[in-house]
Amino acid sequence: MKINRRGLIAGGLAAIASGTLNGLPLHAASGGRRDGYGAAVTLADLQADVRLRDAVTRYCTQIVPVYELKWPTLRPSAHMFDFEKADALLDFARQNNLTMRGHNLVWYADLPEWTRQISDASSAETALRDHISTVVAHYRGKLTSWDVVNEAIPEFPRKSTERRDSLWLHLLGSNYIRMAFRAVAEVDPDVQLTLNDYDIESVGERFSARRAALRDLVSELLDTGTPLHAVGLQAHLHGELEIDTEGLAKCVAEFRAWGLEVIVTELDVDDQKLAASQAVRDMIVAKRVDDVLSAISSDVPVRSILTWGLSDRYSWINQMFPRGDHLPNRPLPLDADFQPKPFMNVISKFTREAT
Ligand code: XIL
């Protein structure tokens, strides 16, 4: 379905005037924890801002660390592991009756300096196995799900068999993906093993190519008996691009038919290219989220939806995709003062109140 932008804006404004979005009340926004809904948080922000702590415990039933389980935090050197910050987040989660996901074990980005010394296949394999076995063992039985491999699909795949360049691909070939999943399953047989990727949700050739590459990778992993349980859609959406609801629904249906769960892992909407009006921006942002969640939950409800942050006050979008007019971005369910926006109503529409 094509969305007429002017119609959307006019409809959005009319809806705001009447206080509804897709039939949902806009202002009586959804208090209360939502089952399966959560947000990415950093320990520093949580410690510094009691409003953020309150908002997380008010709306969420799960969290995922933004940095604290990435290599630069966990691995100060080749022979050291530092779990202090991630453990503090796990404590916060447990004290507040929240579950925690793990993000991530293997990624092309955010590798510490010392990994530059890794220059042959055998040391790459040792480093990867050592990291996985130690980290996964430390959190065995404590996390619900791990992003085992993050962003394995190239930015612009030329063919569906192409994988994203990385230290790991360079030294180990695409086998590193299978190897990583197997290594995690050996240490924690119960945690959900997720392949996580971005930019498969919108309309356009690049998005279809990325979807095809993801499909190819998932099918190859399953064909080779790799322990894979879920596909994570990061869903870093682009405000100015419509959602390819048909393409997305088809892709997700196929993953489910193959026995996989589909989860939303890093939802937010980059509003860099949207017009200035706050109300219109909030409507378009909510509409993109609604389109994605509708497309992927028409048959089966999505059991896990995480946004990449909770309040616009703490979002990577402000640094990564600042607006030309210098207005603050509005990518998340709560505004900078922790008030719910239409985005939060959409989250409520697709989740149940937690008991
Ligand atoms: C981002 C963080 O939010 C930023 O603060 C950091 O500088 C880079 O990483 N996909 C992912 C996340 O899987 O780990 C990224 O997080 C956002 C894109």
Side-chain angles (χ1 to χ4, degrees):
M1 187 188 62
K2 278 258 178 266
I3 305 161
N4 170 326
R5 192 182 161 82
R6 213 183 265 169
L8 171 68
I9 292 171
L13 289 174
I16 284 182
S18 74
T20 61
L21 169 75
N22 299 326
L24 282 162
L26 271 184
H27 300 295
S30 52
R33 288 151 45 93
R34 311 299 300 183
D35 251 344
Y37 171 65
V41 292
T42 77
L43 182 65
D45 294 340
L46 271 187
Q47 286 175 334
D49 194 339
V50 64
R51 293 167 304 169
L52 179 64
R53 289 203 294 280
D54 288 348
V56 169
T57 54
R58 174 169 175 188
Y59 292 100
C60 300
T61 48
Q62 56 169 337
I63 57 167
V64 60
V66 173
Y67 301 115
E68 290 76 357
L69 287 170
K70 289 176 179 170
W71 284 57
T73 313
L74 286 185
R75 305 298 308 280
S77 75
H79 306 291
M80 282 173 68
F81 288 82
D82 181 352
F83 293 110
E84 201 183 321
K85 290 190 169 129
D87 284 354
L89 281 175
L90 185 60
D91 285 344
F92 169 81
R94 290 175 151 186
Q95 284 156 13
N96 292 287
N97 195 19
L98 303 156
T99 58
M100 189 160 111
R101 285 197 81 235
H103 173 82
N104 60 64
L105 292 164
V106 188
W107 193 20
Y108 76 91
D110 259 9
L111 287 169
E113 267 303 303
W114 62 262
T115 58
R116 289 175 189 236
Q117 308 304 318
I118 303 172
S119 56
D120 60 81
S122 126
S123 20
E125 183 166 343
T126 304
L128 209 52
R129 285 189 184 279
D130 189 29
H131 183 79
I132 289 175
S133 58
T134 308
V135 174
V136 176
H138 186 86
Y139 291 105
R140 179 169 37 218
K142 297 176 178 162
L143 305 178
T144 48
S145 175
W146 263 115
D147 288 328
V148 178
V149 175
N150 194 37
E151 304 184 344
I153 303 303
E155 186 70 6
F156 296 92
R158 283 158 300 183
K159 44 187 193 327
S160 61
T161 50
E162 198 183 335
R163 305 293 170 247
R164 184 165 200 142
D165 199 18
S166 71
L167 171 67
W168 314 116
L169 186 78
H170 184 63
L171 295 176
L172 298 170
S174 60
N175 275 346
Y176 84 87
I177 303 177
R178 239 174 296 163
M179 200 209 88
F181 277 93
R182 290 206 181 115
V184 183
E186 276 166 27
V187 182
D188 190 344
D190 297 322
V191 73
Q192 180 187 59
L193 307 184
T194 306
L195 176 70
N196 197 40
D197 225 304
Y198 68 99
D199 275 357
I200 69 147
E201 299 86 3
S202 307
V203 162
E205 241 173 75
R206 184 168 83 84
F207 296 86
S208 329
R210 291 182 52 82
R211 257 195 315 273
L214 183 61
R215 179 189 184 280
D216 186 280
L217 174 54
V218 168
S219 121
E220 179 195 306
L221 292 176
L222 295 176
D223 285 349
T224 51
T226 310
L228 168 70
H229 309 137
V231 176
L233 309 179
Q234 290 188 1
H236 290 295
L237 308 178
H238 306 267
E240 76 283 11
L241 299 181
E242 290 179 13
I243 303 304
D244 187 342
T245 49
E246 229 173 84
L248 183 59
K250 203 174 140 221
C251 169
V252 163
E254 196 158 32
F255 292 153
R256 288 193 179 123
W258 294 343
L260 299 173
E261 172 150 9
V262 175
I263 61 178
V264 176
T265 53
E266 306 185 15
L267 180 61
D268 58 15
V269 185
D270 168 14
D271 62 340
Q272 180 190 40
K273 296 187 179 145
L274 298 181
S277 156
Q278 233 178 249
V280 175
R281 256 197 285 159
D282 288 356
M283 289 307 300
I284 295 173
V285 163
K287 165 79 176 147
R288 301 291 177 235
V289 173
D290 191 65
D291 282 351
V292 165
L293 296 179
S294 305
I296 67 176
S297 52
S298 58
D299 299 329
V300 181
V302 183
R303 284 200 301 175
S304 176
I305 302 172
L306 284 141
T307 48
W308 203 243
L310 181 55
S311 152
D312 294 338
R313 184 171 292 268
Y314 302 108
S315 165
W316 73 310
I317 300 284
N318 293 303
Q319 282 81 51
M320 287 294 286
F321 308 105
R323 294 175 55 83
D325 59 15
H326 304 299
L327 287 173
N329 299 86
R330 300 179 64 83
L332 287 167
L334 303 182
D335 71 12
D337 297 315
F338 300 89
Q339 295 308 304
K341 298 187 298 176
F343 189 153
M344 188 56 96
N345 293 70
V346 180
I347 295 294
S348 301
K349 178 177 162 188
F350 289 94
T351 52
R352 288 171 194 276
E353 200 174 338
T355 44

